Amino acid sequence: MAKPIGELIKEELINQHRTVTWFAHELNCHRVNAYDIFKRENMDLALLIQISKILHKNFLRILADQVEDECKIDGE
């Protein structure tokens, strides 16, 4: 089972040694909203693109790869 997108974002933030405060500032939102993002299983595409740019990580590709992998499993 694929990890929720919010969890993937949180892991990347940790891997980059970035703080939630930094992340919230870059997103122009409050820290509480940043923590809410980490709990999400899905989100608006525009927000995901913005987060991808901020963290220099293509989360769209990661999700596409997860879908492709799940399709292969379902097709077996």
Side-chain angles (χ1 to χ4, degrees):
M1 187 74 170
K3 287 185 182 181
I5 188 61
E7 195 173 320
L8 294 173
I9 292 167
K10 182 179 179 181
E11 286 177 359
E12 183 59 28
L13 193 67
I14 291 167
N15 287 341
Q16 291 187 19
H17 305 287
R18 304 280 190 178
T19 65
V20 176
T21 302
W22 174 87
F23 183 63
H25 179 265
E26 293 296 310
L27 276 176
N28 198 28
C29 71
H30 194 275
R31 275 186 35 210
V32 173
N33 295 341
Y35 283 110
D36 176 61
I37 288 171
F38 303 148
K39 297 176 187 174
R40 295 183 186 186
E41 291 192 26
N42 55 58
M43 70 180 60
D44 179 77
L45 186 58
L47 177 59
L48 187 57
I49 290 169
Q50 184 180 6
I51 291 169
S52 292
K53 290 177 181 178
I54 289 168
L55 294 177
H56 305 285
K57 179 107 176 167
N58 189 342
F59 290 100
L60 299 171
R61 182 172 310 272
I62 292 168
L63 292 177
D65 290 345
Q66 287 179 352
V67 170
E68 189 172 321
D69 290 345
E70 287 180 17
C71 288
K72 288 177 186 175
I73 291 170
D74 291 343
E76 292 180 343

